[in-house]
Amino acid sequence: MRSVIVVPTYNEADSVGPMLDRLTALGAGRAASELPDVLVVDDSSPDGTGDLVRRHPAYGSRVRLLTRASKDGLGAAYRAGFRAAVDAGYDAIVQMDADGSHPVDAVLPMLDRLAGHDLVIGSRYVPGGATQNWPWQREVVSRAANTYARAVLRLKTHDATAGFRAWRASALLAAGVLDTHSNGYGFQVENTWHAERLGLRICEYPITFVERTAGASKMTGDVAKEAARLILRWRWDELAGRSKAPTRAGDGVGARQ
């Protein structure tokens, strides 16, 4: 199964180099064909993030760069990266942050679980999952956001806002991820909602989410408020029969386990 890790960046000069080092060091003892490539999607960062990617020793082999003209949201960056990955023929696509919050050592176990699942979510809120170095206010906001999304959309997934995921490419397409328009937390919740309604085989893999030590978070109060409004609208449209969420599985995807 050919796999790629899609990493969106904007002003991540302090973290992108170490992150690429860790990602390209994965898989000691595994065949090269079993190791994931890395696609950095950079929104023309003014701090030189893209230049650092180009100077990485693995650039042009396992590391590639997709440069976008401007910054217009996390969801848009992911959609561009996913589209490029699908066009390149990858079978599995991992999405993860560039800031070191998501544990690199979970990438291969999550990819391995795609043998029996369509979507594997790196989850903070299942047994064995945790957060580290978070202020209590952020913990409260995150848990409240998940509780709200799960209650309004009737979701089974515990970490509906998680940004660390491994997809089968066929499942990503079936769930209509490339056709969404949401950003930030809303992007993650919308894809969770679509995946559940489609009946994908979803697995939550416990991770420890570590607060970033460099740079600044791209999530703001406005982003969270936008997500809350979208979630309510999606549920309202669903109840009114106007929802665009997929409702049946296509080839290669199946029921939740």
Side-chain angles (χ1 to χ4, degrees), residues 20 23 25 43 61 111 118 127 129 131-132 142 151-152 161 167 180 202 216 236 257:
L20 291 177
L23 289 175
D43 287 353
S61 54
L111 283 170
D118 302 303
T131 60
Q132 184 175 311
S142 176
V152 173
T161 64
W167 294 83
T180 59
I202 303 171
W236 178 260
Q257 292 185 348

Coordinates of all heavy atoms in Angstrom, one line a residue, residues 20 23 25 43 61 111 118 127 129 131-132 142 151-152 161 167 180 202 216 236 257:
L20 N 10.3 16.8 9.6 CA 10.7 16.1 8.4 C 11.8 15.0 8.8 O 11.8 13.9 8.3 CB 11.2 17.0 7.3 CG 10.1 17.8 6.7 CD1 10.7 18.8 5.6 CD2 9.0 17.0 6.0
L23 N 9.9 12.2 10.5 CA 9.1 11.4 9.5 C 9.9 10.6 8.6 O 9.5 9.4 8.3 CB 8.2 12.4 8.8 CG 7.1 13.0 9.6 CD1 6.3 14.0 8.7 CD2 6.1 12.0 10.1
A25 N 12.8 9.3 9.2 CA 13.5 8.3 9.9 C 12.6 7.1 10.3 O 13.1 6.2 10.9 CB 14.1 8.9 11.2
D43 N 1.5 27.3 2.4 CA 0.8 28.5 1.8 C 1.6 29.7 1.7 O 1.3 30.8 2.2 CB -0.4 28.8 2.8 CG -1.5 27.7 2.7 OD1 -1.4 26.9 1.8 OD2 -2.5 27.8 3.5
S61 N 13.0 13.0 -3.1 CA 12.8 11.5 -3.0 C 11.6 11.2 -2.2 O 10.5 11.0 -2.7 CB 14.1 10.9 -2.4 OG 14.4 11.5 -1.1
L111 N -1.3 3.4 10.0 CA -1.3 2.9 8.6 C -1.6 1.4 8.6 O -2.3 0.9 7.8 CB 0.0 3.2 7.9 CG 0.1 4.7 7.4 CD1 1.5 4.9 6.9 CD2 -0.9 5.0 6.3
D118 N -11.2 1.8 7.2 CA -11.2 2.8 6.1 C -10.6 4.1 6.6 O -10.0 4.9 5.8 CB -12.6 3.0 5.6 CG -13.2 1.8 5.0 OD1 -12.6 1.1 4.1 OD2 -14.3 1.4 5.5
P127 N -9.6 5.4 25.8 CA -8.7 4.8 26.8 C -7.3 4.7 26.2 O -7.1 4.2 25.1 CB -9.2 3.4 27.1 CG -10.7 3.6 26.9 CD -10.9 4.5 25.7
G129 N -5.5 7.4 25.4 CA -5.3 8.7 24.8 C -5.1 9.8 25.8 O -5.6 9.6 27.0
T131 N -3.7 14.3 26.6 CA -3.0 15.5 26.1 C -1.9 15.8 27.1 O -1.9 15.4 28.3 CB -4.1 16.7 26.1 OG1 -4.6 16.9 27.4 CG2 -5.2 16.4 25.1
Q132 N -0.9 16.6 26.6 CA 0.2 16.9 27.5 C 0.6 18.3 27.3 O 0.6 18.9 26.2 CB 1.4 16.0 27.0 CG 2.7 16.2 27.8 CD 3.8 15.2 27.4 OE1 3.5 14.0 27.2 NE2 5.0 15.7 27.2
S142 N -11.6 22.1 24.2 CA -11.5 20.9 23.3 C -12.6 19.9 23.6 O -13.3 19.4 22.8 CB -10.1 20.3 23.4 OG -10.1 19.1 22.6
A151 N -23.0 15.4 20.2 CA -24.4 15.5 20.6 C -25.3 16.0 19.4 O -26.3 15.5 19.1 CB -24.5 16.5 21.8
V152 N -24.8 17.1 18.8 CA -25.6 17.7 17.7 C -25.7 16.8 16.5 O -26.8 16.6 15.9 CB -25.0 19.1 17.3 CG1 -25.8 19.6 16.1 CG2 -25.1 20.1 18.5
T161 N -12.9 16.2 16.5 CA -12.2 17.3 16.0 C -10.7 17.0 15.8 O -9.9 17.8 15.4 CB -12.2 18.5 17.0 OG1 -11.6 18.1 18.2 CG2 -13.7 18.9 17.3
W167 N -6.3 7.7 6.2 CA -7.4 7.4 5.3 C -7.0 6.4 4.3 O -5.9 6.5 3.7 CB -7.9 8.6 4.6 CG -8.6 9.7 5.3 CD1 -7.9 10.7 6.0 CD2 -10.0 9.9 5.5 NE1 -8.9 11.6 6.5 CE2 -10.1 11.1 6.2 CE3 -11.1 9.2 5.0 CZ2 -11.4 11.6 6.6 CZ3 -12.4 9.8 5.4 CH2 -12.5 11.0 6.1
T180 N -15.7 19.3 0.2 CA -16.1 20.1 1.3 C -15.6 21.5 1.1 O -14.8 21.8 0.3 CB -15.6 19.5 2.6 OG1 -14.1 19.4 2.6 CG2 -16.1 18.1 2.8
I202 N -14.4 2.7 11.0 CA -13.6 3.7 11.7 C -13.0 3.1 12.9 O -13.6 2.4 13.7 CB -14.5 4.9 12.1 CG1 -15.1 5.5 10.8 CG2 -13.7 6.0 12.8 CD1 -16.2 6.6 11.1
A216 N 2.9 29.5 16.6 CA 1.6 29.8 17.2 C 0.5 29.0 16.6 O 0.6 28.7 15.4 CB 1.3 31.3 17.1
W236 N -29.3 20.7 11.1 CA -30.6 21.2 10.7 C -31.0 20.7 9.3 O -32.1 20.3 9.0 CB -30.6 22.7 10.8 CG -31.9 23.3 10.4 CD1 -32.2 23.9 9.2 CD2 -33.1 23.4 11.1 NE1 -33.5 24.4 9.1 CE2 -34.1 24.1 10.3 CE3 -33.5 23.0 12.4 CZ2 -35.4 24.3 10.7 CZ3 -34.8 23.3 12.8 CH2 -35.7 23.9 12.0
Q257 N -16.4 -0.6 12.6 CA -16.0 -1.7 13.5 C -15.5 -1.1 14.8 O -14.9 -0.1 14.8 CB -14.9 -2.6 12.9 CG -15.4 -3.4 11.6 CD -14.3 -4.3 11.1 OE1 -13.2 -4.2 11.5 NE2 -14.7 -5.2 10.3

